[in-house]
Amino acid sequence: MSAEAKQGYYELVEPRTLFNSIIPVLLGIMYTEYNFQLFRIFPTIEMCIATIVLQIFMNVNDGYWDYKRERAAKTGDHKKNPIGKYHLNPKNVLVLIWILFIISATCAFMIGFQTNLYIWILGIICYAIALSYSTGSHTISAGPFGEIAACFAMGFGIFLIMVYINVYPHVPFNWNFVWPIILAAGIPEICNFTLMLGNNLCDHDADIANGRHTLVSYIGIKGGLYLFVFNYLLGFFLTGWAIWVGVLPWSVALILICIPTIYKNMRFLWKIQTKPKSFPKVVQNTQVLFVTEAVGFFIGLMLNLRIR
């Protein structure tokens, strides 16, 4: 494989986005240990592989279908896509997409056989979102529900499944089990929502030109910016609530030190909404929040272990 092709596949994979799936997995493991002191190694390994490979699948699949749509629209944007920019063979990219999906789905099936119907239902929903997110002419990402889908599947779904596969069969799957996880997954939920929203804010004009009518096209750029701020406030509120009821350690409040960075980046995004300049600010907010919460959770976990 040529150096040009390697760069093209690297950009299709988008390694920096793997952060979005790895951290919810890690937080789910720590949540389970903090609240239940349970751990099952094989389902956990399978879940890690399934999640990371599925994220790569979604990235490559998104790039592939973007290329097809951009080429059909004849706007010239397909030449900026990694497939067109680095002269990748679309057929080879499609083969890679199927290989990634089969690997991830195989691990998911193994998890399903080791648990129960609830995991099958959650898994089917998450994989249906992953497939329909970018595939075809009518996709979730091109409509007004992309942010909600990302929030549910990548923020809440991964966290919930990771916890349940470790506590099964000792803890029943009911509302008393689920609602604290909704609170505890507040940061992953809002970060995945705002990543999608930030992407759509920065791509607003290009999306319209390519026939994509995302949430931003309905509520406008200003409405999207206000929603951006609201979601960060909601994420902090849910996390504070989770700390208050005791399902997260008090040390997770360390995320408060992220506020100056988030505020600074939000001011920048409020003034400029372009992909090269603004979207990295959104990514930075996510990374700072994820890392800080993970560190805070780890500190609380260590203190809790010492007390026990």
Side-chain angles (χ1 to χ4, degrees):
M1 185 184 293
S2 67
E4 183 182 50
K6 288 179 181 178
Q7 182 62 29
Y9 281 109
Y10 177 84
E11 291 188 15
L12 276 176
V13 169
E14 294 186 81
R16 68 179 182 178
T17 63
L18 298 183
F19 210 73
N20 308 338
S21 54
I22 293 172
I23 293 295
V25 165
L26 180 61
L27 292 175
I29 293 171
M30 290 194 286
Y31 178 94
T32 308
E33 172 58 33
Y34 184 77
N35 291 283
F36 303 104
Q37 297 81 53
L38 294 169
F39 181 74
R40 298 172 69 205
I41 186 166
F42 291 112
T44 297
I45 292 172
E46 291 155 5
M47 181 63 181
C48 289
I49 296 171
T51 303
I52 293 169
V53 175
L54 186 64
Q55 177 71 63
I56 298 172
F57 158 81
M58 291 181 65
N59 293 345
V60 178
N61 193 51
D62 185 53
Y64 173 80
W65 283 98
D66 276 350
Y67 174 79
K68 291 193 68 173
R69 282 188 289 267
E70 289 159 357
R71 191 171 182 180
K74 298 181 180 179
T75 59
D77 287 344
H78 70 283
K79 295 179 181 178
K80 302 174 186 177
N81 185 289
I83 296 174
K85 184 179 178 182
Y86 296 101
H87 312 292
L88 302 180
N89 186 333
K91 292 182 179 179
N92 292 341
V93 174
L94 187 58
V95 169
L96 175 61
I97 288 169
W98 277 108
I99 290 172
L100 291 168
F101 183 79
I102 290 169
I103 292 171
S104 180
T106 299
C107 290
F109 274 112
M110 292 170 66
I111 293 169
F113 284 120
Q114 294 172 73
T115 50
N116 61 13
L117 182 62
Y118 294 111
I119 292 299
W120 281 103
I121 293 172
L122 284 168
I124 289 170
I125 292 172
C126 289
Y127 274 85
I129 290 173
L131 277 171
S132 56
Y133 192 77
S134 302
T135 305
S137 55
H138 301 287
T139 65
I140 294 176
S141 64
F145 303 111
E147 287 82 356
I148 294 174
C151 170
F152 175 83
M154 302 303 293
F156 172 67
I158 292 174
F159 198 114
L160 175 63
I161 293 171
M162 177 54 78
V163 175
Y164 190 63
I165 63 174
N166 275 297
V167 301
Y168 174 83
H170 306 287
V171 179
F173 191 98
N174 54 30
W175 180 242
N176 289 331
F177 169 74
V178 173
W179 80 262
I181 294 177
I182 296 175
L183 304 182
I187 294 301
E189 288 161 358
I190 66 100
C191 281
N192 278 283
F193 189 100
T194 53
L195 267 177
M196 181 70 178
L197 181 61
N199 184 68
N200 290 335
L201 279 167
C202 296
D203 282 345
H204 177 260
D205 294 338
D207 283 342
I208 296 298
N210 287 298
R212 292 162 57 93
H213 299 285
T214 64
L215 179 62
V216 179
S217 71
Y218 290 93
I219 64 176
I221 291 177
K222 187 67 72 174
L225 290 169
Y226 279 114
L227 183 58
F228 215 103
V229 174
F230 171 78
N231 269 277
Y232 279 125
L233 294 174
L234 178 61
F236 278 95
F237 172 75
L238 291 175
T239 304
W241 190 355
I243 294 171
W244 179 261
V245 298
V247 295
L248 290 180
W250 62 267
S251 53
V252 171
L254 190 66
I255 61 170
L256 292 174
I257 69 171
C258 301
I259 290 176
T261 300
I262 294 171
Y263 177 74
K264 178 183 175 182
N265 288 338
M266 274 305 306
R267 287 192 63 185
F268 186 92
L269 181 65
W270 203 274
K271 295 176 183 177
I272 303 171
Q273 300 90 38
T274 61
K275 198 63 170 283
K277 293 182 178 180
S278 305
F279 190 60
K281 304 291 185 181
V282 181
V283 174
Q284 184 185 33
N285 282 353
T286 297
Q287 292 176 340
V288 166
L289 275 169
F290 272 163
V291 169
T292 307
E293 181 175 21
V295 170
F297 209 143
F298 182 75
I299 292 171
L301 197 59
M302 292 300 101
L303 291 174
N304 193 51
L305 287 173
R306 286 188 64 184
I307 292 171
R308 293 210 306 265

